[in-house]
Amino acid sequence: MLTIENLEVSYGRAQVLWGVSLNINEGEIIALVGANGAGKTTLLKTISGIVKQRSGKISYDGKPFDKLSSRDIVKMGIVHVPEGRKLFPEMSILENLMMGAYKVPKQEREKRLDQVFTLFPVLKERMKQLAGTLSGGEQQMVALARGLMAGPRLLMLDEPSLGLAPLVVERIFEAVMKIHQEGVTVLLVEQNVHEALELANRGYVLENGKIVLEGAGNELLGNEHVRCAYLGI
Amino acid sequence: METLVQSLVSGILTGSLYAMIGVGLTIIFGVMRIINMAHGDMVMLGMYSSFWALTLWNIDPFVSIVFWVPVAFLIGMLTYRFLLKKIVPAGELNTLLYTAGLSLFVSNLALLVWTGDYRTIKLDYAVMPLRPFGIAVPIPLAIAFGMAILITALLYWFLVKTDTGRAIRATSQEPMAAALMGVNAAQMEMLTFGLGTALACGAGVLLAPSLYLYPTVGEILVAKCFVIVVLGGLGSVQGAIAGGLLLGVVESLGAVYVSVPYKDAIGFVIFLLVLLFRPSGLFGVGKS
């Protein structure tokens, strides 16, 4: 579905990604793990068109999309839920969701809204509340829901568990599973390495801008390097 | 008691126009973090547009506003596209200096072509004020008030109810996320600069019959404008409306109960007091 070959990205003179290649098949959950500053967020930003690559190729369904803007990329169904939620704090939940569907024709929005409210009933009850006044877990739900409103085929989640209590993290991951069961392909960036690899079909380990390991989720969980560097066992 | 009501009424009338100018400044700041020092000069251009339309073509200011506002909207968008777009990413300080330069250029150009003479607009129907309940209401100011409210309300409706308006607010609150939803930030910035300029210029057209016109009138207006938006919390539309009305009323009460020459100074004193006790404005939430 999405293939990345030899991607190199730099901010000015600082190179962040060094020849990253990865590939995502339709219907998979892929975990991308790595330490702070490894380049995970940069990789997502490059896929969603916010950051431009210096070289390398990204293709989606076999078609290259180097020249596309982030607007076209959203329209094609690649949706990026950013790290730290980045909700519109002075807008209501409903308005945030409507922003998610910015590129979606008006007549389809109601349908999407129903689907999202089925997944997160609590958001329906509180749709008039300002997003800035919600708790961290609720904000993450809105962020996920806002991403879903765009109608993703590939949903990229950047650190959805960041700063949340373990119980809330569990609920968020449950929601991710449900979304996946409805046929959405998921690229999950996580520092919560254990949970992410358990959830995922396959995983990639990114270190200093390079992919150092890849493999099935449980295979990586058993890997000596992963256990030592990320799981502390 | 009558003096109090009278000065409250004139304060609110003038304040509605301050609010209109302030909303223009605040949306520009909100979306692209430009502190637009040339905003007052846009009001000045509006005033002269109003004056020349009446003098040359005999078109009443309250009619000419119908075409001056769209013209200003276009000029604002072109200004953004050709003068500002490249410099916005360089940060607030650069755009501040840049628009300050733009302001000097525009006001001096106006001085060159229109001279420094004070001018006034005389309207036949403006000689006698209306006197509802014994309160004097100057007719041009009353019409300007009505139109300012209408225009500000229309803008508010646009920002709250339309997709594009929502995208403008989203860009001002969280630009990266807005871009991820597929919002074209450059387009929103251009649109916003056009709207802000149109509001400033429109307020100028409306104010022209009630104030003296001279090329540097923008200086005092932009200073007041900063008072208004900071009072209301930078970037907040409701705040700018409240701040504008408040400044109008404070100035008007000051003129009556203290002294006319101190009218402008009193506005700034209130400004300093608010900053001292509520640094993020009366309605500001403050960024953590």
Side-chain angles (χ1 to χ4, degrees):
Chain A
M1 179 185 211
L2 188 84
T3 312
I4 297 174
E5 287 164 74
N6 271 316
L7 193 71
E8 309 242 329
V9 176
S10 12
Y11 295 120
R13 260 197 238 159
Q15 185 158 354
V16 182
L17 295 181
W18 305 76
V20 169
S21 301
L22 63 83
N23 120 73
I24 300 171
N25 301 315
E26 183 121 40
E28 281 185 311
I29 298 188
I30 299 291
L32 178 66
V33 299
N36 268 332
K40 307 184 298 286
T41 297
T42 303
L43 180 57
L44 293 199
K45 282 184 175 170
T46 315
I47 298 174
S48 52
I50 298 283
V51 170
K52 292 288 163 213
Q53 73 251 44
R54 212 178 59 189
S55 64
K57 218 172 95 186
I58 306 178
S59 51
Y60 183 59
D61 291 340
K63 280 170 268 170
F65 69 62
D66 311 348
K67 298 280 182 290
L68 297 181
S69 68
S70 53
R71 303 180 282 290
D72 303 319
I73 293 169
V74 173
K75 259 185 151 172
M76 295 189 326
I78 300 183
V79 176
H80 176 172
V81 177
E83 180 180 356
R85 277 82 77 169
K86 300 275 189 281
L87 297 183
F88 307 115
E90 283 151 62
M91 288 190 188
S92 66
I93 292 179
L94 185 63
E95 280 187 301
N96 268 277
L97 297 181
M98 282 304 174
M99 271 313 295
Y102 183 67
K103 284 284 177 189
V104 174
K106 284 214 169 79
Q107 55 273 27
E108 277 180 46
R109 290 183 185 173
E110 286 300 319
K111 204 180 80 198
R112 291 268 163 79
L113 206 57
D114 282 344
Q115 288 171 348
V116 161
F117 283 153
T118 320
L119 189 60
F120 300 111
V122 59
L123 298 186
K124 186 173 187 175
E125 292 157 27
R126 302 166 67 172
M127 61 187 186
K128 301 269 184 232
Q129 196 174 334
L130 290 187
T133 64
L134 299 172
S135 73
E138 292 162 341
Q139 289 197 4
Q140 188 59 55
M141 276 183 214
V142 177
L144 271 176
R146 186 178 62 177
L148 288 177
M149 287 296 289
R153 281 182 62 207
L154 171 62
L155 187 65
M156 305 193 290
L157 305 173
D158 196 351
E159 305 273 6
S161 73
L162 192 72
L164 301 181
L167 248 155
V168 184
V169 172
E170 225 168 89
R171 293 230 310 273
I172 295 293
F173 280 150
E174 270 167 27
V176 173
M177 281 310 285
K178 265 192 208 157
I179 293 167
H180 175 245
Q181 278 155 13
E182 278 163 29
V184 180
T185 308
V186 178
L187 174 58
L188 179 66
V189 165
E190 263 299 335
Q191 291 200 37
N192 222 325
V193 175
H194 190 83
E195 278 78 0
L197 289 177
E198 259 185 354
L199 207 70
N201 305 107
R202 288 189 302 122
Y204 289 86
V205 180
L206 192 64
E207 276 177 17
N208 298 321
K210 297 182 180 107
I211 300 278
V212 293
L213 273 174
E214 59 171 292
N218 43 14
E219 201 179 294
L220 286 179
L221 271 176
N223 180 286
E224 197 55 40
H225 177 71
V226 172
R227 289 170 73 88
C228 170
Y230 298 104
L231 301 172
I233 17 181
Chain B
M1 186 59 201
E2 210 180 294
T3 345
L4 179 68
V5 175
Q6 172 73 60
S7 52
L8 279 177
V9 167
S10 7
I12 288 170
L13 292 182
T14 325
S16 68
L17 289 141
Y18 286 168
M20 188 171 158
I21 307 172
V23 168
L25 189 74
T26 218
I27 57 171
I28 289 175
F29 177 80
V31 170
M32 56 203 110
R33 307 281 132 180
I34 291 178
I35 299 173
N36 183 14
M37 298 292 288
H39 200 66
D41 301 283
M42 301 301 151
V43 183
M44 180 273 289
L45 288 179
M47 292 171 79
Y48 274 95
S49 308
S50 178
F51 174 83
W52 289 116
L54 182 70
T55 316
L56 298 178
W57 310 319
N58 206 18
I59 303 176
D60 189 276
F62 302 115
V63 176
S64 70
I65 185 166
V66 175
F67 58 83
W68 285 132
V69 164
V71 167
F73 176 66
L74 278 178
I75 291 177
M77 292 211 293
L78 293 173
T79 308
Y80 171 79
R81 178 64 190 77
F82 293 104
L83 297 177
L84 280 163
K85 191 177 178 186
K86 281 229 167 84
I87 201 160
V88 171
E92 284 167 43
L93 187 60
N94 291 42
T95 51
L96 178 89
L97 291 172
Y98 189 83
T99 54
L102 197 64
S103 159
L104 282 175
F105 176 76
V106 171
S107 58
N108 281 284
L109 191 69
L111 198 60
L112 191 70
V113 289
W114 297 323
T115 76
D117 294 349
Y118 277 52
R119 299 171 200 257
T120 51
I121 286 185
K122 290 192 185 65
L123 299 168
D124 300 332
Y125 53 83
V127 186
M128 288 295 288
L130 289 174
R131 292 198 163 276
F133 311 105
I135 297 158
V137 179
I139 294 171
L141 201 55
I143 303 176
F145 170 76
M147 289 190 159
I149 294 213
L150 181 71
I151 293 171
T152 313
L154 272 176
L155 179 89
Y156 195 76
W157 174 85
F158 169 75
L159 288 176
V160 174
K161 290 291 178 196
T162 66
D163 262 18
T164 313
R166 200 186 291 135
I168 286 179
R169 285 187 296 137
T171 307
S172 107
Q173 292 174 25
E174 199 58 76
M176 204 269 270
L180 287 177
M181 320 276 102
V183 175
N184 182 342
Q187 215 175 56
M188 293 306 132
E189 290 184 355
M190 185 159 87
L191 194 60
T192 307
F193 204 83
L195 285 173
T197 308
L199 283 173
C201 195
V205 174
L206 295 175
L207 269 173
S210 310
L211 292 181
Y212 285 110
L213 284 69
Y214 51 96
T216 50
V217 66
E219 283 173 17
I220 181 75
L221 287 171
V222 83
K224 286 186 186 185
C225 220
F226 287 135
V227 175
I228 293 162
V229 296
V230 174
L231 277 180
L234 213 50
S236 153
V237 172
Q238 296 102 310
I241 295 173
L245 293 173
L246 184 68
L247 183 70
V249 168
V250 166
E251 280 187 2
S252 158
L253 290 177
V256 172
Y257 292 103
V258 186
S259 125
V260 175
Y262 287 118
K263 181 182 92 159
D264 291 341
I266 291 160
F268 291 109
V269 169
I270 297 290
F271 171 64
L272 290 176
L273 286 177
V274 169
L275 274 193
L276 216 55
F277 295 107
R278 295 225 25 145
S280 49
L282 289 176
F283 309 93
V285 243
K287 291 253 150 86
S288 52

